Amino acid sequence: MGAIKTQSPQPRTFSRGIQTVTLIPGDGIGPEISTAVMKIFEAAKAPIQWEERNVTAIKGPGGRWMIPPEAKESMDKSKIGLKGPLKTPIAAGHPSMNLLLRKTFDLYANVRPCVSIEGYKTPYTDVDLVTIRENTEGEYSGIEHLIVDGVVQSIKLITEEASRRIAEYAFEYARNNQRASVTAVHKANIMRMSDGLFLRKCREVAENYKDVKFTEMYLDTVCLNMVQDPSQFDVLVMPNLYGDILSDLCAGLIGGLGVTPSGNIGANGVAIFESVHGTAPDIAGKDLANPTALLLSAVMMLRHMGLHGHANKIETACFDTIREKKVLTKDLGGNSKCSEFTADICRRVQDMD
Amino acid sequence: MMATLTKAFKPILGRQLGNTAKVFGAAVNSQRGKPTYPPPAKYGGRHTVTLIPGDGIGPELLNHVRELFRFSCVPVDFEVVHVNSASTSEDDINNAIMAIRRNGVALKGNVETNHTMPPNHKSRNNLLRTSLDLYANMMHCQSLPGVQTRHKNIDIIIIRENTEGEYSSLEHESVSGVVESLKIITRNNSLRIADYAFRLARDKGRRRVTAVHKANIMKLGDGLFLQCCKEVASGYPDIEFDSMIVDNTTMQLVSKPHQFDVMVMPNLYGNVVSNVCAGLVGGPGLVPGANYGRDYAVFETATRNTGKSISNRNIANPTAMLLASCLMLDHLKLHDYANMIRGAILTTMNETRLHTVDIGGQGTTSEVVQSIMRIIQSGGPLTTEI
């Protein structure tokens, strides 16, 4: 869960060493878990200044849906965002907010580090891998046609540019986080041209990163081996659909979406870290939510910004609290409230100083 | 009175006692309204089955199958057709297809696909499946009692559409550097596979069918598939139907696999889910797979691995291929032979010291096969010399 070497020449927003982060609380349990994270950061004395913004879509000039200009401005300035779960509107007429954010900031890489959490027991105890998923094209291009009645075609788009970009990101990540190998996941035996192109680009980029081992593996072999022995995998890079399935598979190995962090990296140095679980409207407002996913994503964000000290402190406090099993929220098997869980982590963080 | 009562109860008792048969994918009531069954290649009471050795561990495992059949006096003769994966001409695979058309049934190893070859060199396995229109791939994942796994007592049937979807092999590069790959979903094939799934569920007494899809993103394609499943479901009111998005499915499979009963899905998700399930029950060496079409049936291992790294070292696990041959025997209505071999395989599986490397043991392939043959011999029926 680590930093990437930022390639953007623009300096971060800086004032007395405090960095601004755009916070998007989201819907449902979003606001409570965001508050929890802010409290913990305050207790840890992290040099972060939060700017809360709402991203509900509005119709801009020309009739195109877009995110509110204040939100966009804030993100462009701060370059770093932390997002809670967003409700997917069914009949609101506009596309999903996540899709809108992705398009607005060209978030091309979705990074999900999956590490087994000591204290939250699952049948898999030795998971330590990172899935890096191409987030803009592939099977999710949304290009579908009805050819004749009863025959539908969906187009999977793979471009050289996007494949090269994601491969480069994957190798940079591996190098900056001292990961030993990168594995490209593909199905080039069946989708010869498309996955073949993806694979070729990965191989080309691998040439420039000789310090990182590069392997290729079929998607089905990865799935097969993942459920038998996940410890053999390190960094996985893949196109959109495989990434979607595999990243959720890996999240399932460590305990589900409630404890999995996630980060989206965009062009121009933008990075938005988010919790990937749903809005859980049934427990919203009842102080029952589990802030772990958002907290671990925030830790990922700190590492991305280079604030490793604070990141380690908060992460250790969080894992210690989970390991102690005294104040766990309901989904982790306990009976406590969100505020109690948060308070425990805050206490531990403060004790560490 | 007792006699009539016993007669009335016999079918129920029979079903319970015939556990191995029911449990291990036997007698998939493959008639499906077809008048001619088993396939016509039957001369003098002996069936002829096409055998395609394939690459990697295929040849050695299929040799063991032949050895076992010869030993157990199974009335099946094999017509061996080699398919050379390195050759660019399609003659080999066409010969194999013709042989299967002639015999109606085949047992095959996986033919390797070299993916550095140009796109017009299609996957041989895929060609076979599409030419013979083997539209349903069925895989019955069951935890074997003697094998240690993280999850116990898994029993999931996976039905995967085998001919279209992402495996249509329709790709083009419209602009340099931009490749489009087409995923085709048709109403006919979706209805067909959904119907197969529900009929199978009913025949085997299963209670729920789950459709796996990604219709929230691929609204037209997977949306059509889901709609077809729903339509077919309405014709089977005794069977519950629900659906689940594929990423959630994989997450649920690794945490709570017992919630699944029968699953039906398009081609690519089938590939992923079947491999995940195979991993859950102990690996690629344990699960057999079957490809059914209207007129033909081809049996192989469920995860279709070539196993190049372990070939010719006598360490491959023969269980999957042997169980696949049992499925084939059931298809040919040779149930007694199928049950006998299957029972012997399961008894051998209980011996931990005979487990092969992939399931954590140190046994060799030949040891496993010898043990199976010994059990069959001790079971009484006429056998040839070991």
Side-chain angles (χ1 to χ4, degrees):
Chain A
M1 307 204 214
I4 68 153
K5 197 167 67 182
T6 169
Q7 287 133 332
S8 104
Q10 299 154 324
R12 294 263 145 73
T13 318
F14 237 75
S15 86
R16 292 183 291 118
I18 297 186
Q19 300 196 16
T20 317
V21 167
T22 308
L23 176 70
I24 302 162
D27 309 306
I29 53 173
E32 340 174 13
I33 54 179
S34 308
T35 319
V37 171
M38 286 200 280
K39 265 202 212 121
I40 295 172
F41 269 49
E42 211 182 294
K45 298 205 215 22
I48 303 284
Q49 182 186 303
W50 305 98
E51 244 179 49
E52 271 190 54
R53 289 286 180 269
N54 190 348
V55 291
T56 319
I58 57 170
K59 231 182 180 155
R64 275 179 61 220
W65 289 99
M66 51 182 238
I67 63 172
E70 314 85 56
K72 183 165 191 321
E73 222 179 277
S74 169
M75 266 308 298
D76 283 337
K77 240 184 355 169
S78 58
K79 298 286 185 197
I80 308 281
L82 184 66
K83 178 174 88 63
L86 292 175
K87 195 166 54 180
T88 306
I90 305 208
H94 61 75
S96 102
M97 297 314 315
N98 291 313
L99 184 60
L100 218 45
L101 278 172
R102 206 174 300 146
K103 289 235 151 75
T104 315
F105 298 107
D106 196 17
L107 301 173
Y108 66 90
N110 178 279
V111 183
R112 221 183 261 191
C114 294
V115 183
S116 285
I117 297 180
E118 205 187 318
Y120 187 39
K121 196 122 188 344
T122 60
Y124 301 89
T125 52
D126 47 0
V127 185
D128 184 6
L129 53 90
V130 181
T131 57
I132 298 182
R133 158 194 176 189
E134 205 291 321
N135 220 359
T136 58
E137 53 172 30
E139 298 82 348
Y140 294 2
S141 319
I143 313 171
E144 293 186 287
H145 315 286
L146 184 68
I147 312 281
V148 287
D149 193 22
V151 179
V152 174
Q153 101 185 359
S154 296
I155 296 188
K156 161 178 165 164
L157 201 66
I158 300 277
T159 58
E160 213 174 284
E161 182 52 39
S163 306
R164 193 190 44 79
R165 197 164 57 161
I166 193 72
E168 266 177 19
Y169 179 77
F171 280 96
E172 268 303 320
Y173 183 93
R175 188 181 265 175
N176 293 332
N177 290 285
Q178 290 84 45
R179 308 296 297 209
S181 72
V182 171
T183 306
V185 180
H186 65 99
K187 262 217 93 60
N189 51 345
I190 302 290
M191 287 180 261
R192 202 68 61 76
M193 281 176 83
S194 35
D195 282 352
L197 173 61
F198 179 79
L199 213 51
R200 261 200 320 276
K201 286 290 139 203
C202 286
R203 284 192 200 127
E204 279 173 27
V205 172
E207 293 295 314
N208 300 333
Y209 290 84
K210 294 286 194 189
D211 48 331
V212 178
K213 181 161 158 241
F214 174 67
T215 46
E216 326 172 338
M217 215 186 233
Y218 287 131
L219 173 66
D220 40 12
T221 315
V222 171
C223 288
L224 190 57
N225 293 340
M226 182 74 77
V227 292
Q228 291 180 73
D229 180 22
S231 60
Q232 59 185 288
F233 294 106
D234 196 352
V235 177
L236 300 166
V237 64
M238 57 210 116
N240 216 334
L241 176 67
Y242 313 152
D244 193 8
I245 300 176
L246 273 182
S247 57
D248 277 5
L249 178 64
C250 298
L253 295 177
I254 62 168
L257 297 179
V259 293
T260 310
S262 172
N264 297 293
I265 311 296
N268 303 321
V270 170
I272 300 185
F273 298 87
E274 58 176 355
S275 59
V276 283
H277 53 71
T279 51
D282 46 337
I283 57 170
K286 297 187 185 155
D287 198 19
L288 294 171
N290 179 1
T292 308
L294 193 62
L295 185 63
L296 291 177
S297 304
V299 166
M300 214 174 139
M301 176 187 80
L302 287 173
R303 292 211 167 97
H304 176 97
M305 299 196 291
L307 297 166
H308 297 280
H310 292 95
N312 290 336
K313 229 173 25 181
I314 297 174
E315 196 186 32
T316 317
C318 180
F319 285 161
D320 282 344
T321 306
I322 297 179
R323 196 181 312 125
E324 290 279 304
K325 295 200 200 207
K326 293 216 190 84
V327 271
L328 295 181
T329 48
K330 188 143 170 278
D331 62 316
L332 291 175
N335 258 320
S336 307
K337 294 194 168 305
C338 175
S339 41
E340 291 168 6
F341 184 74
T342 313
D344 198 65
I345 301 182
C346 291
R347 186 183 53 80
R348 282 181 203 273
V349 165
Q350 279 159 344
D351 285 343
M352 278 192 215
D353 282 332
Chain B
M1 164 81 151
M2 278 310 287
T4 36
L5 268 180
T6 334
K7 257 206 168 136
F9 280 119
K10 211 167 177 182
I12 307 167
L13 277 177
R15 207 169 304 183
Q16 276 177 327
L17 290 174
N19 247 342
T20 333
K22 189 172 185 195
V23 153
F24 277 89
V28 175
N29 201 348
S30 324
Q31 270 93 355
R32 313 212 183 298
K34 265 178 43 199
T36 56
Y37 225 75
K42 189 173 179 180
Y43 312 106
R46 297 183 64 82
H47 296 268
T48 309
V49 168
T50 308
L51 188 85
I52 302 170
D55 301 308
I57 50 175
E60 66 187 87
L61 292 184
L62 288 169
N63 277 340
H64 285 302
V65 170
R66 275 193 282 182
E67 196 185 317
L68 187 63
F69 276 23
R70 190 188 45 83
F71 174 78
S72 320
C73 299
V74 176
V76 169
D77 292 318
F78 288 106
E79 181 189 344
V80 182
V81 182
H82 291 278
V83 175
N84 185 354
S85 53
S87 104
T88 46
S89 98
E90 293 191 357
D91 288 341
D92 275 354
I93 192 68
N94 285 336
N95 284 340
I97 292 172
M98 198 151 29
I100 301 178
R101 283 194 212 274
R102 205 182 322 121
N103 296 325
V105 182
L107 188 60
K108 77 184 261 292
N110 200 40
V111 178
E112 192 191 346
T113 308
N114 183 355
H115 65 256
T116 54
M117 299 266 246
N120 57 358
H121 177 99
K122 300 197 201 288
S123 153
R124 299 304 181 228
N125 305 302
N126 203 16
L127 263 178
L128 201 134
R129 290 191 290 267
T130 46
S131 312
L132 296 171
D133 199 23
L134 301 169
Y135 65 90
N137 176 280
M138 189 204 66
M139 176 177 156
H140 191 171
C141 273
Q142 266 181 309
S143 297
L144 293 182
V147 181
Q148 279 288 35
T149 50
R150 289 184 175 90
H151 306 271
K152 314 262 175 246
N153 299 322
I154 294 182
D155 189 352
I156 304 175
I157 297 182
I158 297 169
I159 296 175
R160 160 188 177 187
E161 209 291 325
N162 219 4
T163 52
E164 57 173 22
E166 297 81 349
Y167 287 38
S168 315
S169 305
L170 294 165
E171 298 179 297
H172 51 263
E173 190 164 1
S174 32
V175 173
S176 166
V178 176
V179 175
E180 288 184 346
S181 171
L182 302 181
K183 162 179 164 163
I184 311 284
I185 301 274
T186 57
R187 196 175 154 70
N188 282 346
N189 287 346
S190 305
L191 284 174
R192 196 166 61 161
I193 194 69
D195 195 47
Y196 181 90
F198 277 91
R199 255 186 291 125
L200 188 79
R202 184 176 270 172
D203 289 344
K204 292 204 175 197
R206 311 287 272 203
R207 280 164 304 136
R208 189 170 70 241
V209 173
T210 307
V212 177
H213 65 96
K214 190 92 193 158
N216 51 342
I217 305 282
M218 286 185 254
K219 300 187 170 72
L220 281 186
D222 285 351
L224 177 60
F225 180 80
L226 200 55
Q227 192 194 342
C228 293
C229 288
K230 284 192 186 132
E231 272 176 40
V232 174
S234 56
Y236 292 81
D238 51 327
I239 300 179
E240 250 181 81
F241 171 71
D242 60 359
S243 63
M244 198 183 262
I245 301 186
V246 61
D247 40 10
N248 190 20
T249 309
T250 48
M251 212 176 342
Q252 297 294 323
L253 275 171
V254 293
S255 43
K256 293 193 270 244
H258 302 100
Q259 59 182 295
F260 296 106
D261 196 358
V262 177
M263 299 166 80
V264 64
M265 58 204 90
N267 217 331
L268 183 69
Y269 311 146
N271 187 229
V272 171
V273 171
S274 55
N275 276 274
V276 170
C277 288
L280 291 177
V281 300
L286 297 176
V287 196
N291 303 288
Y292 294 105
R294 199 192 57 171
D295 304 316
Y296 313 108
V298 174
F299 300 88
E300 53 178 352
T301 63
T303 47
R304 304 172 178 163
N305 303 94
T306 353
K308 263 189 320 200
S309 54
I310 54 171
S311 66
N312 296 323
R313 284 162 57 188
N314 202 15
I315 53 174
N317 193 339
T319 311
M321 195 58 90
L322 289 172
L323 285 175
S325 65
C326 290
L327 286 180
M328 181 193 76
L329 290 173
D330 279 319
H331 183 83
L332 295 173
K333 301 221 164 308
L334 297 169
H335 299 300
D336 290 336
Y337 290 103
N339 291 334
M340 175 179 79
I341 297 177
R342 209 176 273 128
I345 297 173
L346 290 184
T347 314
T348 308
M349 243 334 100
N350 285 330
E351 290 270 347
T352 324
R353 82 188 156 73
L354 284 175
H355 283 183
T356 44
V357 182
D358 60 314
I359 42 178
Q362 285 170 326
T364 61
T365 319
S366 20
E367 277 172 19
V368 177
V369 177
Q370 295 285 335
S371 160
I372 295 172
M373 293 204 279
R374 258 196 304 273
I375 296 172
I376 291 176
Q377 185 170 56
S378 66
L382 178 69
T383 53
T384 60
E385 295 291 307
I386 283 192

